[in-house]
Amino acid sequence: MKLIKAYDNWVKAAEEKDRNHPKYNNSITDNEGRVAGFLGEICFAYLFGAKILDTFNHDVELNNQTIEVKTKRSSYVPQPHWLSSVAEQSEHQVPDYYAFFFVKYMDKKLTVPQGIYYAGGITYLDFWSKSTYLRKGEGDSSNNYSAHIPQNNIINSELDLTIFDFVV
């Protein structure tokens, strides 16, 4: 897990994008997690020199490879045994890679970002061959997590922190 500071200009850009971007009809968090999602995309673009696409199917592009950035919010420092997820409703997205981030907040209401953690990346094919499907309400015995929506999960320690280093 790699900690990246939550730069004020990134937070402002993510908040502005949230204000100006149409609301999602199928949002898992009723659009409450959008700023964190946009922060993940901005952070990825900064770290790896990627272009933000902001399309329905892909978030960023790097060396003609499409990447879907998945970001979770937390008031705790994320751990290697935690899960990174792709919601069942996102299965229409077929990127070349997934990149996973966690935004750690200073407060329990998840309003003041403190840091962004890069959990790692994985190819699309590897994610779907290594991940575990959980139905809504089903638990994961590795960490007592219970899925709030149908999703596929992978343990953070199985992600590759260097998968995108081919451009750096």
Side-chain angles (χ1 to χ4, degrees):
M1 200 88 49
K2 181 177 181 177
L3 170 64
I4 296 98
K5 182 181 184 299
Y7 294 102
D8 288 341
N9 61 326
W10 291 1
V11 174
K12 287 178 182 156
E15 290 171 343
E16 181 178 338
K17 188 171 181 179
D18 179 51
R19 281 191 302 277
N20 297 324
H21 203 278
K23 301 294 182 196
Y24 301 129
N25 294 325
N26 63 346
S27 173
I28 297 164
T29 63
D30 289 327
N31 291 290
E32 293 294 318
R34 288 169 27 124
V35 171
F38 295 143
L39 266 174
E41 294 171 15
I42 291 166
C43 184
F44 185 91
Y46 173 81
L47 289 176
F48 300 107
K51 174 184 174 188
I52 296 177
L53 297 176
D54 195 27
T55 68
F56 183 67
N57 289 317
H58 305 298
D59 293 324
V60 296
E61 182 180 77
L62 182 65
N63 288 355
N64 296 316
Q65 301 289 303
T66 55
I67 297 104
E68 187 59 27
V69 177
K70 300 297 182 186
T71 307
K72 289 186 176 183
R73 301 175 299 157
S74 178
S75 58
Y76 299 97
V77 173
Q79 300 297 312
H81 66 278
W82 286 16
L83 301 174
S84 286
S85 307
V86 174
E88 183 177 79
Q89 68 190 35
S90 296
E91 289 180 357
H92 67 278
Q93 299 167 325
V94 185
D96 296 301
Y97 295 91
Y98 288 108
F100 296 96
F101 287 85
F102 289 82
V103 176
K104 192 229 180 265
Y105 287 83
M106 292 181 182
D107 59 320
K108 295 283 185 192
K109 292 183 180 181
L110 307 176
T111 58
V112 182
Q114 183 178 19
I116 304 168
Y117 287 81
Y118 173 53
I122 191 167
T123 67
Y124 174 85
L125 293 176
D126 281 349
F127 177 83
W128 291 104
S129 68
K130 295 177 180 179
S131 65
T132 303
Y133 179 77
L134 291 180
R135 291 182 298 274
K136 180 179 180 176
E138 187 175 9
D140 182 333
S141 61
S142 69
N143 64 2
N144 296 321
Y145 171 81
S146 181
H148 57 280
I149 57 161
Q151 60 193 263
N152 276 69
N153 300 302
I154 191 162
I155 298 171
N156 287 333
S157 60
E158 294 184 33
L159 299 173
D160 185 350
L161 286 169
T162 63
I163 197 165
F164 300 110
D165 285 354
F166 58 86
V167 298
V168 179

